[in-house]
Amino acid sequence: MATAKRVLRCHNCGAILQTTSKKEVGFISKAIVENGVPKIPYCNSCYEKMLELNTSDLQHETDKDIIKILNDAVATDSLIVWMVDLFSFNGTLNPDVVKKVKKLNVIVVGSKRDLFSSGVTDEMLIRYLDERFAEEGINPVAIKLIGSDDNTIDINPIIQEVKNQRKYRDIYLIGEVNSGKTTFVNKFLKTYVNKTKWQIKTELYPGTNSDVLEIPLSNSSFLYQLPDLSNSTSVVSKVEKELVKQITPKKEIVMTRRFIGEGSAIMVGNLACLYVLSGKHASIRVFMGEKTEVKVVANNRVDQALEENRRKKFCRPVSERFLSFRDYDLFEYELEDDDLRHDISVEGLCWFSTRGKGQKLRVLLPKGVAIKECLSKVR
Ligand SMILES: Nc1nc2c(ncn2[C@@H]2O[C@H](COP(=O)(O)OP(=O)(O)OP(=O)(O)O)[C@@H](O)[C@H]2O)c(=O)[nH]1
Ligand SMILES: [Mg+2]
């Protein structure tokens, strides 16, 4: 009597699994079968596609011109002023730029301080910036904050700090799109008096195709404002223009709380979602722009809820660019049980904050967007 042998199908495409022909459907490597077929088996072709689904290039795009210009900054041991937008910055710095400026004196300026409530102290934000830059091997010589894009803010303390640190050297001002460089320079120019033989001008930087603003500081030193660093890992670079307006806070950053536990998830429009995979009920704070909305759904309904939200727009912002789960990446974190407040930040959109109790969390976000877990910005 013959015994029955189980015939296995690929869990994804349903093809009958076979080890004989790579060209035919359902091919699975002999080695995998010999090591014991996985409980949920996939043919090689589906398996590779799945791997692609969950990985995407998180590299910042780096403009070659910026690197060329920074080579000059290195050669002349110049002072770097690095502006970061305190709302969207989540600690992911462009590694090529980091590598260049590491050996130089760097002053970090956090812009848009005015978007944080009065309960958030300068010390908290400065400590946050210090920790994020230190992680990348940069120990800033000073960290300053700047807020408000009207003219009420006094930037003299920053100018004084820059003067102290400069010691007759050139200054290179760098920062991502919208980090506040122009606003800062315009304020600086309000009280600037040109006592040099040079003019302020915007010119193609030698050997590049990039315009650089040059402000003479003495007859032999300049402030150079570089072109924008790429924000290719920010939600801002992935969504439609109108949506950028929606997610960028104009007023004080909103903090909303949801008390959720295992099996629940918080959607932020269709641009991010935090799932609680395991852990007790806990308060999760979401910090975001005033037009951004959140909604709690069951973990196992997230894909469906995203699909419904695209049609009904019950939780904004909704981008038309993300049509299915294939357009998102997933990351998981197991927080330490340290009772400290941790942030999981989605660059350019929001950050989730909760106390570390050893809970397991999963985050869904548009492919290529940078995510980072660290101790909280607002503690
Ligand atoms: N609330 C607030 N908004 C600011 C501040 N600084 C700049 N902004 C706003 O942020 C946006 C970008 O500022 P810019 O100064 O143009 O930034 P940039 O780095 O020169 O950016 P691009 O040249 O556009 O790449 C503008 O809408 C400003 O009004 C600030 O301190 N607080
Ligand atoms: Mg500008």
Side-chain angles (χ1 to χ4, degrees), residues 35-82:
N35 282 330
V37 182
K39 254 193 186 153
I40 300 175
Y42 293 95
C43 68
N44 283 16
S45 138
C46 286
Y47 188 71
E48 273 156 30
K49 269 186 222 143
M50 273 195 337
L51 286 183
E52 264 168 44
L53 272 181
N54 289 316
T55 54
S56 52
D57 192 3
L58 276 181
Q59 279 302 309
H60 285 77
E61 289 159 13
T62 313
D63 192 319
K64 282 196 204 82
D65 284 352
I66 290 188
I67 295 298
K68 262 191 193 164
I69 302 170
L70 287 177
N71 281 339
D72 285 352
V74 173
T76 52
D77 187 29
S78 294
L79 177 67
I80 302 292
V81 176
W82 194 330

Side-chain angles (χ1 to χ4, degrees), residues 120-160:
V120 179
T121 62
D122 284 1
E123 289 69 35
M124 284 182 202
L125 297 171
I126 289 173
R127 178 170 59 179
Y128 175 81
L129 291 176
D130 200 19
E131 287 171 357
R132 301 291 75 72
F133 276 81
E135 275 171 354
E136 301 298 330
I138 295 178
N139 290 308
V141 289
I143 301 177
K144 293 281 169 189
L145 305 179
I146 182 169
S148 157
D149 59 355
D150 60 24
N151 291 317
T152 54
I153 193 87
D154 180 14
I155 66 159
N156 280 324
I158 302 183
I159 293 176
Q160 200 50 50

Side-chain angles (χ1 to χ4, degrees), residues 196-258:
T196 74
K197 60 180 178 185
W198 309 108
Q199 301 269 316
I200 297 180
K201 56 181 192 250
T202 297
E203 255 194 358
L204 272 187
Y205 195 87
T208 72
N209 290 316
S210 295
D211 276 333
V212 167
L213 170 70
E214 294 178 18
I215 304 173
L217 301 172
S218 71
N219 281 334
S220 58
S221 61
F222 295 84
L223 183 155
Y224 299 104
Q225 187 198 321
L226 271 61
D228 296 324
L229 301 181
S230 151
N231 63 349
S232 56
T233 58
S234 169
V235 170
V236 167
S237 72
K238 310 285 182 199
V239 299
E240 301 85 337
K241 263 199 182 137
E242 319 86 73
L243 253 67
V244 172
K245 283 191 200 143
Q246 274 184 48
I247 63 177
T248 306
K250 303 276 176 312
K251 301 182 194 156
E252 203 171 281
I253 295 166
V254 172
M255 190 268 281
T256 180
R257 262 179 251 253
R258 291 293 181 273

